[in-house]
Amino acid sequence: MTQFEYKDNELYVEKVPLSRIAESTGTPVYVYSETALTDAYQRFTGALADAGLDARVCYAMKANSNLAVIRTLAVCGAGADVVSGGELARALAAGVNPAEIVFSGVGKTEDEIRQAVTANIGQFNIESLPELDMLSQVAHAAGTTVNIAVRVNPDVDADTHHKISTGRQQDKFGIDIGHTRDVYRRAAALPGILPTAIAVHIGSQLTDLSPFREAFTRVAELVAELRTDGHSITTLDLGGGLGIDYGHHTAPDLRDYAEIVAETLGGLGCMLVFEPGRYLAGPAGVLLAKIIYVKDSETRSFAIVDAAMNDLVRPAMYEAHHEIMPVRDPDDGAPPRKYDIVGPICETGDTFGTERPLPEVGAGDLIVIRDAGAYGAVMASSYNSRPLIAEVLVRGDKFSMVRSRQDIATILAQESFADWQT
Ligand SMILES: *Cc1c(COP(=O)(O)O)cnc(C)c1O
């Protein structure tokens, strides 16, 4: 059930017409449905519970780290998966319980590790031996002991876009699964370190579930080996990666996913941690934009909108497909026309969709780019000196700006001339 539906030819988010948000905040703007976020969370945890799994969700904040979005999921009971000191600060500011924070990432700096040790977070996911040594030093010096998972690289091809595949041997992530027993032995001997978990995350936007089965089967074998070696493995962190339907109807079934987890890892007596990002946030958000001009060429009609690749980079970066819908759909029986929906930036990659059917549109008309709640606002830049755009959260018939639009004066104020310039 989507929270973005037409009523009387007008596109609504929950009970609010998107045109009203555009009027109030201007465009372009990201709009998130709180109900869509909480529904996705309930569906995800519900499917795991139905499969009989003892599970905890640590929301992968990198998908959408707006404080209001994190707060929404934390209120549902989610912890957080963070990948930087900045994200850790956001999780704490949003009220996430530190014990339910997992710190992932291949390049945690000493400062970031110290920050997380001080915050007393629940788990560190270790991706290399030097990182393990660094964490041991910091934890020991702080007089504390921290829980770690060793993130393994199971050498499984996730069969997704190559830029978001993370579980192949040539990828920079994790520790070769064949070396895990050595790393565990070393971890058990280090001061300040309590190795109790294994983590795995093989990529993002997986639409085929078989790579999950392959990876989880390898993890199950590893658990048996580590237990033989005398380690107590109590927690398995299975990462995120579940794909969503961007309009091609290829999204995997959540129940099948839960079933695969239950079959491969359900009998091991471990607590399971899941780190969904895209699944929770992606379908809950749209990018609302306004058409500036329609330009007809010999072969194409271009709808030039006020959003651009700096606001939503997924099409330019991953050749990603997003559905595009008109905010006002006259539904008058007239055949749709085909438009290339493009932004104002001078790069041909600044294209949100080609030959997309839309009703006849003109300057001033609003469109939405769907499923933009994950890896949208968080990946935005101010390329072309375009200030970061606003974000709005909707609940029922209410909406609230949860990030204000950056202004150019703020951007300029952060810069200065060199000492020798006048
Ligand atoms: C990116 C990432 C996730 C979230 O991935 P999604 O595809 O958004 O679910 C989870 N865990 C780790 C370690 C990640 O890097």
Side-chain angles (χ1 to χ4, degrees), residues 58-63 81-83 104-105 125 127 151 164 166 173 200-201 203-206 237-243 274-280 374-375:
C58 290
Y59 166 56
M61 276 173 52
K62 75 175 192 281
D81 170 41
V82 305
V83 294
S104 300
N125 290 357
E127 302 214 17
R151 174 168 174 186
I164 49 176
T166 60
F173 300 96
V200 66
H201 171 77
S204 195
Q205 184 54 16
L206 272 71
D237 179 338
L238 304 182
L242 200 61
F274 293 84
E275 302 168 347
R278 189 188 310 270
Y279 181 86
L280 298 180
Y375 307 106

Side-chain angles (χ1 to χ4, degrees), residues 135-216:
L135 176 59
S136 169
Q137 276 170 33
V138 174
H140 186 58
T144 182
T145 299
V146 297
N147 294 313
I148 67 145
V150 173
R151 174 168 174 186
V152 298
N153 182 325
D155 195 21
V156 169
D157 191 341
D159 193 23
T160 181
H161 190 275
H162 67 98
K163 286 184 186 167
I164 49 176
S165 185
T166 60
R168 301 164 299 182
Q169 202 162 38
Q170 71 265 34
D171 297 326
K172 69 180 175 182
F173 300 96
I175 290 174
D176 257 354
I177 195 159
H179 297 158
T180 316
R181 294 173 83 170
D182 292 340
V183 175
Y184 242 81
R185 191 172 310 123
R186 174 160 182 152
L190 282 173
I193 298 285
L194 193 61
T196 53
I198 299 168
V200 66
H201 171 77
I202 57 174
S204 195
Q205 184 54 16
L206 272 71
T207 50
D208 173 12
L209 292 174
S210 49
F212 282 122
R213 182 185 290 280
E214 223 179 302
F216 296 163

